[in-house]
Amino acid sequence: MRSNIRITSPLARLVSRAAQRRSFSATWGPQAQYGFIGLGQMGYNMARNLQSKLNSEDTLHIYDINTASAEKFVSETLRGSGASVKVATTVREAAENAETIISCLPEPSHVKAVFGQILAPPPMESSQVPSQDRLFIDCSTIDPASSKAVANHVHTLQQGKFVDAPMSGGVVGATAGTLTFMLGAPDALLSRVEPVLLKMGKKVLHCGAQGAGLSGKLANNYLLAINNIATAEAMNLGIKLGLDSKVLGNLINISTGRCWPSEVNNPVKDVVQGSPACRDYSGGFGISLMRKDLGLAIQAAGEAGARLELGGRAKDVYETAEQQEGCKGKDFSVVYRYLGGETPA
Ligand code: NAD
């Protein structure tokens, strides 16, 4: 049974506060308070896994500007086990009442806006959570510079600790709880952050100090963006030269051209069973997200002075393809269709 007991006498409040602090240091002790901001394609499923793996004494405070997501979450978790769920009416309320707050938002502007609201004066005051104990885990894919600016804001105002933990594994991984997180955090916070992330994923790669998770994520997604276009071009080339698509796919996948887009997400229908190409490029990793991540990687490269020869051209490809009928809203492997690639009957 879930308990929503409110303790009101001053002595009882003190006892309650002490219990909260104990629960913080023990991580999974009684009555831990969590916040989750951004219940979209990824966040919703991550929050579901987190909620189901927390204790029944714990509480998850959820918030999304789209109130329908929060309402759906409540109705789906009402009779199940795991933490109690409370819908916060503002983003600030979700943060103020929690020791651990996870955010999963689309772009840098959203993360800045959300933390602008959380950190707006007057400083947060909660009878239950001392601000030095508050931990913000941002799982959004944004640029490292924006993430560092938000972290700096949180730390300067002494409202908690802020770490970055972007993920890979897509909606499928978020639903199955098998995500890989790339963590940017000081060593001292690892033992606190890791158990939280492992409730939503299978692996945590500690990449270095705050911002390092995003640096790793953007470097990886830069490579993915280029490999995807190169795979589509190579498949198109071989097929136009007369090769059978499956013969060519197999050849590449046992040769030096092998990569994730050729082996797992091949852009040609029926080369890899279950790939988005087999279902008219629906589901998967949206072309607009790839364009966004590539743009962030190019921006970060500019700031770091890292020379990119292919990035600008690849960005043009995604931007143009994204506008075309038949490509809009599809998995990013739809670049093959944009190139005029033939789809086997
Ligand atoms: P999404 O657009 O589906 O979800 C974002 C959610 O944030 C929405 O529900 C939206 O209403 C909410 N939101 C926006 N502004 C808000 C605000 N001010 N306050 C509260 N909520 C707000 O995006 P997603 O696919 O869940 O992706 C989230 C992040 O994860 C992105 O940065 C994305 O690049 C990254 N990511 C996505 C995938 C994927 O396959 N979808 C994979 C890896 C990483």
Side-chain angles (χ1 to χ4, degrees), residues 79-163:
R79 283 180 185 77
S81 56
S84 298
V85 176
K86 283 191 182 165
V87 179
T89 52
T90 62
V91 69
R92 171 98 170 211
E93 192 184 309
E96 188 158 36
N97 290 304
E99 295 139 359
T100 307
I101 302 103
I102 296 139
S103 45
C104 189
L105 298 158
E107 305 212 16
S109 60
H110 301 100
V111 177
K112 286 179 186 162
V114 159
F115 278 87
Q117 290 167 47
I118 291 173
L119 300 171
M124 286 187 284
E125 273 186 37
S126 160
S127 60
Q128 297 180 336
V129 185
S131 45
Q132 71 270 18
D133 286 352
R134 199 174 284 116
L135 171 68
F136 294 100
I137 305 176
D138 185 37
C139 295
S140 320
T141 303
I142 62 171
D143 60 295
S146 295
S147 183
K148 284 178 194 166
V150 173
N152 194 26
H153 199 185
V154 172
H155 298 155
T156 305
L157 295 178
Q158 300 186 326
Q159 290 296 293
K161 307 273 190 299
F162 179 100
V163 304

Side-chain angles (χ1 to χ4, degrees), residues 1-41:
M1 260 230 335
R2 284 175 185 162
S3 79
N4 276 325
I5 301 165
R6 298 221 173 275
I7 303 169
T8 47
S9 83
L11 175 64
R13 260 204 303 274
L14 274 178
V15 172
S16 165
R17 215 177 289 184
Q20 290 292 337
R21 290 193 188 160
R22 271 202 310 279
S23 73
F24 164 75
S25 54
T27 311
W28 308 120
Q31 299 177 11
Q33 307 283 317
Y34 292 80
F36 207 109
I37 299 164
L39 303 166
Q41 289 203 78

Side-chain angles (χ1 to χ4, degrees), residues 169-254:
V171 179
V172 172
T175 308
T178 56
L179 294 170
T180 295
F181 291 95
M182 298 152 210
L183 176 63
D187 291 348
L189 282 179
L190 194 55
S191 62
R192 174 142 184 232
V193 180
E194 207 174 37
V196 180
L197 295 178
L198 289 176
K199 297 212 175 288
M200 303 179 287
K202 280 265 178 283
K203 277 191 211 136
V204 177
L205 308 174
H206 186 209
C207 303
Q210 199 280 315
L214 283 163
S215 301
K217 166 82 182 171
L218 293 187
N220 178 72
N221 279 24
Y222 179 80
L223 180 58
L224 176 63
I226 306 285
N227 273 348
N228 178 57
I229 297 175
T231 302
E233 288 178 334
M235 290 298 296
N236 191 33
L237 169 66
I239 291 167
K240 290 247 159 42
L241 287 172
L243 282 169
D244 174 81
S245 58
K246 287 184 190 162
V247 170
L248 176 59
N250 184 48
L251 178 156
I252 291 173
N253 287 330
I254 55 171

